[in-house]
Amino acid sequence: ILKFIARKPDKPGLINDKVRNQEHEAFRAWIAAAVKDPQLLKAAADAERLGPQVPDEVIRHARMDRVMASFIDNIWTEVARCSGCHSPNLNSKQVKEFGEQVSWIKLRDPSATLAYMLEADLIDIEQPEQSLLLLKPTLQVEHKGGQKLLVGDRTYKQFRRFIDDYAAVVKGKYKTAGELPQRDNELAIATPMDNGTWLKLTDVPAHYDKMLLQVDLYRRDGRSWSKDRWATADRAVYGKGNLWQQTLTLTAPRQSGRAKEMSRELNLPAGEYLAKIYVDQNDKLRKELTAELSDADFVGQVIVKTQWTKGYGRMTAAKFPAR
């Protein structure tokens, strides 16, 4: 106990040296007095355990550093999709029209962003699925920025993963280690809408109108294709224009060297890629939150050879494969 109290952090905190010394001396005196009292040493411990009544794993899961890591994984990596209207370095027009409250993204500060979201009631602890962070971009309530997500798409799932988990932590719903959610083995980081990496599919069949179309990209690896996908994107099809387009989300196994490089620089290398295309024709992603598109939803593939020039006006385009 004394060693723990005596530890000094690398950076100054709320507990200064004076307070730390006072606490150390008080505990030292208490320990010294306790070991000199034979009756106290003989006393049996109460049957009821003091402190938290949940396993250590559940306690660690509720720590703020772990919560912050989940926020960064699931929401902060996606804010590029919202930055055009909600980031203070890009939204002067929106601020002038709607006020400062639209700037809920705090530049280079995920902790302040989460704090603002909670203060502004963008996250609903009692009814997570009714959080404004979900309802507005899916147009379940009015959103001046239009529809940005579909219920069940990848970004929506990531938002829900954090919100559901955060609500469960705050309300103390986790009682066993087995109830805790597992971290995704894939790291995914969205490229920004304003200067990101875009992919467009032309000649998309009109009967896919408004259905969610997902593209997974695999890079040429010698004579074959990479085992793990290098990028993914999903969005509703615009049937009238026979068109689908979206910014890419770069992906990599979480502990891989590529994941570390990707975290430093959002850049998809030039080369040849296999684009596998899936369409949710039965609306299963909206009906079941944990559902994923699979071989049953596969509608074709196309090889894309590109430099991946960034920017909406310079997007890579490919023709939807003939069936």
Side-chain angles (χ1 to χ4, degrees), residues 107-316:
L107 286 178
R108 296 175 292 280
D109 197 339
S111 180
T113 299
L114 174 58
Y116 183 85
M117 285 181 171
L118 297 172
E119 181 183 349
D121 293 326
L122 297 180
I123 294 176
D124 191 329
I125 304 301
E126 299 300 327
Q127 295 179 288
E129 72 282 357
Q130 295 300 308
S131 296
L132 288 177
L133 187 62
L134 299 170
L135 298 181
K136 283 200 167 187
T138 54
L139 284 186
Q140 295 180 74
V141 298
E142 184 183 15
H143 183 226
K144 298 297 184 181
Q147 188 174 41
K148 299 299 181 182
L149 307 178
L150 293 177
V151 175
D153 71 14
R154 191 193 58 79
T155 302
Y156 179 90
K157 286 180 179 179
Q158 292 204 184
F159 282 15
R160 277 291 300 270
R161 187 180 294 120
F162 173 78
I163 295 171
D164 289 352
D165 179 44
Y166 182 78
V169 167
V170 171
K171 297 180 73 65
K173 290 186 176 182
Y174 296 129
K175 303 301 180 185
T176 67
E179 295 174 327
L180 300 176
Q182 299 301 307
R183 197 180 192 189
D184 197 328
N185 289 326
E186 182 184 67
L187 177 64
I189 305 179
T191 63
M193 302 290 285
D194 60 322
N195 190 35
T197 306
W198 285 79
L199 176 64
K200 173 166 62 176
L201 293 178
T202 62
D203 300 287
V204 181
H207 63 265
Y208 290 146
D209 183 43
K210 297 181 181 179
M211 296 181 186
L212 186 138
L213 183 150
Q214 174 182 314
V215 177
D216 290 338
L217 293 172
Y218 298 83
R219 192 165 187 249
R220 171 73 73 182
D221 184 8
R223 295 184 178 181
S224 59
W225 303 104
S226 59
K227 177 182 177 183
D228 301 302
R229 61 183 183 177
W230 279 61
T232 187
D234 58 3
R235 195 173 186 176
V237 172
Y238 177 52
K240 291 182 179 180
N242 302 106
L243 179 69
W244 174 94
Q245 60 187 30
Q246 179 63 306
T247 51
L248 297 180
T249 292
L250 308 190
T251 58
R254 187 171 295 279
Q255 302 303 324
S256 67
R258 182 156 57 86
K260 295 177 182 178
E261 293 175 6
M262 190 174 75
S263 298
R264 291 192 296 266
E265 183 178 0
L266 278 179
N267 184 34
L268 199 61
E272 196 171 30
Y273 291 79
L274 178 67
K276 291 189 173 183
I277 306 169
Y278 306 83
V279 176
D280 184 10
Q281 301 182 62
N282 299 310
D283 209 15
K284 70 178 184 180
L285 296 180
R286 183 184 64 81
K287 296 174 183 176
E288 184 181 351
L289 185 63
T290 59
E292 297 286 349
L293 297 185
S294 63
D295 290 345
D297 308 293
F298 179 76
V299 295
Q301 60 188 36
V302 61
I303 294 176
V304 180
K305 190 173 183 179
T306 177
Q307 297 293 318
W308 296 117
T309 307
K310 293 182 178 180
Y312 178 82
R314 307 170 72 186
M315 69 177 68
T316 293

Side-chain angles (χ1 to χ4, degrees), residues 79-109:
V79 295
R81 300 214 181 284
C82 314
S83 58
C85 294
H86 298 291
S87 186
N89 62 324
L90 297 171
N91 67 350
S92 57
K93 179 181 178 181
Q94 288 79 8
V95 168
K96 186 176 181 180
E97 186 172 357
F98 303 112
E100 290 288 346
Q101 70 274 8
V102 300
S103 295
W104 55 259
I105 297 174
K106 307 305 173 184
L107 286 178
R108 296 175 292 280
D109 197 339

